[in-house]
Amino acid sequence: MDANAAAKTVDHVSAVRRRVRRRLSSFWFPLLVFGGLTLGSLVIIALANGPALGVYWTVAGTVGGTATGRHYRRQERELGLEARQAASIVVCAAIVVGCLLAGGIAGGLEAERTAAIGPSLVVAAGYAIFAWLDRSAALAAIGALLGGLTLAVALSDLDATATAFVLALAYGVVGVVAGLVFRALEQRSL
Amino acid sequence: MSNAALQLDDVVHQRVRLGILAVLAESRRADFVYLREALEVTDGNLSRHLQVLEAAGYVRIEKIFEGRRPRTWVAATTTGREAFESELEALRNLIARIDGPRAE
């Protein structure tokens, strides 16, 4: 075998792997669901905030996570291709635990602004990890955008409720818009 | 130069079999229909290559019924994943060995 044949074989393998990754990289559903749930949390932030928000996310996170798991299972059955999900499940669990810890600890210390900023940074980091796992530049860009936005809000002089509201609004809108865009792109590529 | 000298594995080296292992390297398992369409091969051709990989212990084939519909799922074994990675490494080494002196 010569170098040209070897290079062609390596290119062929890379192309096959890329196609499989693209077929398995379907982000629109969790983005849309969790974007929508984040927008739903605006009501709690405006009316109650504090522990009520923790309860909301415990329930909403469970519902959203279950719906996302079912969506992926159905999609994999239809496609005939199952993803290796262990890493994604670990990252999801880490995001949930990280958010609850960051919010809970800051809330316990009565650092209410930090209670809003901490979980947002955890979610932005989650986007970055998923971007790395799925080699997705789009997810990396979303993570960087949200991380930058969170830092900008952290440096502003907004009060705790306004901080939580602005961040939830931004994360919710970005999630829903990105979900709709990813869905449209996916349907166009099929 | 022989494939043995290049440390290429004849079971994995064949283009369709390498394609099968490439799909399975990125997934937990794939069904027969997906593999056939992704690799653009016929049923008979794919079956033959899967048999070779299964005999070498590189893939595990599971035939099940989902409702009334028969379905064949294929997954790479640990040995299969290792063989696939070794093959890629051998190919990259070959490219580097030949391109290296030319580039200097």
Side-chain angles (χ1 to χ4, degrees):
Chain A
M1 175 176 239
D2 63 22
N4 280 341
K8 274 186 189 165
T9 305
V10 171
D11 287 347
H12 163 70
V13 168
S14 301
V16 171
R17 295 180 88 160
R18 258 198 314 276
R19 277 204 301 274
V20 173
R21 275 204 298 272
R22 217 171 26 231
R23 293 296 281 163
L24 287 173
S25 297
S26 174
F27 309 120
W28 71 267
F29 190 85
L31 284 170
L32 203 57
V33 166
F34 282 94
L37 290 172
T38 307
L39 290 177
S41 75
L42 290 172
V43 178
I44 310 285
I45 294 168
L47 298 177
N49 214 346
L53 199 57
V55 174
Y56 172 83
W57 273 117
T58 304
V59 175
T62 306
V63 171
T66 306
T68 301
R70 282 188 177 182
H71 166 77
Y72 280 126
R73 269 200 301 278
R74 195 182 61 238
Q75 183 183 270
E76 286 174 349
R77 272 201 305 271
E78 284 169 6
L79 194 60
L81 187 65
E82 289 185 357
R84 285 191 283 164
Q85 289 170 334
S88 300
I89 291 169
V90 169
V91 176
C92 285
I95 291 173
V96 171
V97 171
C99 284
L100 290 175
L101 280 178
I105 291 170
L109 296 171
E110 294 186 1
E112 289 178 16
R113 283 196 80 217
T114 311
I117 293 162
S120 302
L121 284 176
V122 170
V123 173
Y127 272 104
I129 296 169
F130 275 119
W132 176 69
L133 284 177
D134 287 299
R135 297 166 182 81
S136 166
L139 278 187
I142 294 172
L145 170 74
L146 291 174
L149 197 85
T150 306
L151 291 177
V153 170
L155 294 172
S156 73
D157 53 4
L158 291 173
D159 66 23
T161 305
T163 297
F165 196 89
V166 168
L167 286 174
L169 184 63
Y171 276 65
V173 168
V174 168
V176 168
V177 170
L180 291 173
V181 170
F182 274 121
R183 183 162 193 238
L185 290 174
E186 248 178 60
Q187 283 181 334
R188 213 169 57 179
S189 72
L190 290 177
Chain B
M1 216 180 300
S2 72
N3 279 356
L6 297 170
Q7 293 182 311
L8 296 174
D9 178 342
D10 283 334
V11 173
V12 181
H13 187 65
Q14 200 279 337
R15 189 179 168 87
V16 174
R17 294 199 283 271
L18 201 54
I20 293 169
L21 289 174
V23 170
L24 300 177
E26 292 293 332
S27 58
R28 195 167 73 87
R29 59 181 188 168
D31 81 353
F32 188 91
V33 176
Y34 179 86
L35 287 170
R36 186 189 64 201
E37 285 167 8
L39 302 171
E40 297 174 343
V41 289
T42 62
D43 283 1
N45 198 355
L46 180 58
S47 289
R48 271 196 305 279
H49 289 301
L50 285 175
Q51 279 167 13
V52 172
L53 289 170
E54 190 182 31
Y58 290 170
V59 299
R60 206 174 25 252
I61 299 173
E62 191 186 2
K63 293 180 182 184
I64 57 164
F65 274 88
E66 286 182 2
R68 289 181 183 174
R69 190 176 155 212
R71 199 161 197 181
T72 302
W73 286 100
V74 185
T77 61
T78 307
T79 319
R81 288 183 195 280
E82 285 169 0
F84 173 70
E85 292 303 332
S86 301
E87 179 73 11
L88 282 186
E89 202 182 323
L91 287 169
R92 289 192 190 108
N93 286 340
L94 170 64
I95 296 167
R97 212 185 308 163
I98 297 173
D99 279 356
R102 226 186 282 166
E104 281 167 13

